[in-house]
Amino acid sequence: MDKELIKEIISVAIPNSQCFFEGDSCNLKLIVKSSSFDAIPLIEQHKMVLSPLKEHFESGTLHALSIETKTN
């Protein structure tokens, strides 16, 4: 799956977010920074990121993604 498409999906779901990537398609890490994560438990932050990508995981277009969330 294209990194730009992931960024677009996340930016729509979390409007004030910034996305950064590390690694390659086999070992891709997505780092999402957002003030929306303030006072939200880590598991809920990850759900906010993963939920809009759910259909891509289910279809197989996205299969391996490590996630890290940070507040601004």
Side-chain angles (χ1 to χ4, degrees), residues 10-11 13-20 31-40 45 48-49 68-72:
I10 297 302
S11 69
I14 309 168
N16 62 347
S17 63
Q18 297 176 310
C19 295
F20 306 94
I31 302 164
V32 181
K33 293 183 180 181
S34 175
S35 58
S36 297
F37 298 144
D38 290 344
I40 295 177
Q45 294 174 24
M48 288 172 67
V49 173
E68 181 178 340
T69 53
K70 299 180 177 186
T71 58
N72 285 343

Side-chain angles (χ1 to χ4, degrees), residues 58-70:
E58 290 175 350
S59 72
T61 57
L62 184 60
H63 59 277
L65 184 65
S66 174
I67 293 177
E68 181 178 340
T69 53
K70 299 180 177 186

Side-chain angles (χ1 to χ4, degrees), residues 2-57:
D2 181 34
K3 292 177 184 179
E4 291 304 314
L5 181 55
I6 293 172
K7 279 184 175 183
E8 183 180 327
I9 291 168
I10 297 302
S11 69
V12 168
I14 309 168
N16 62 347
S17 63
Q18 297 176 310
C19 295
F20 306 94
F21 293 92
E22 292 178 359
D24 58 23
S25 61
C26 294
N27 190 19
L28 189 60
K29 180 177 184 179
L30 169 62
I31 302 164
V32 181
K33 293 183 180 181
S34 175
S35 58
S36 297
F37 298 144
D38 290 344
I40 295 177
L42 184 61
I43 190 75
E44 295 302 320
Q45 294 174 24
H46 285 210
K47 285 180 184 178
M48 288 172 67
V49 173
L50 290 173
S51 180
L53 298 171
K54 182 179 179 178
E55 71 182 65
H56 298 283
F57 281 109

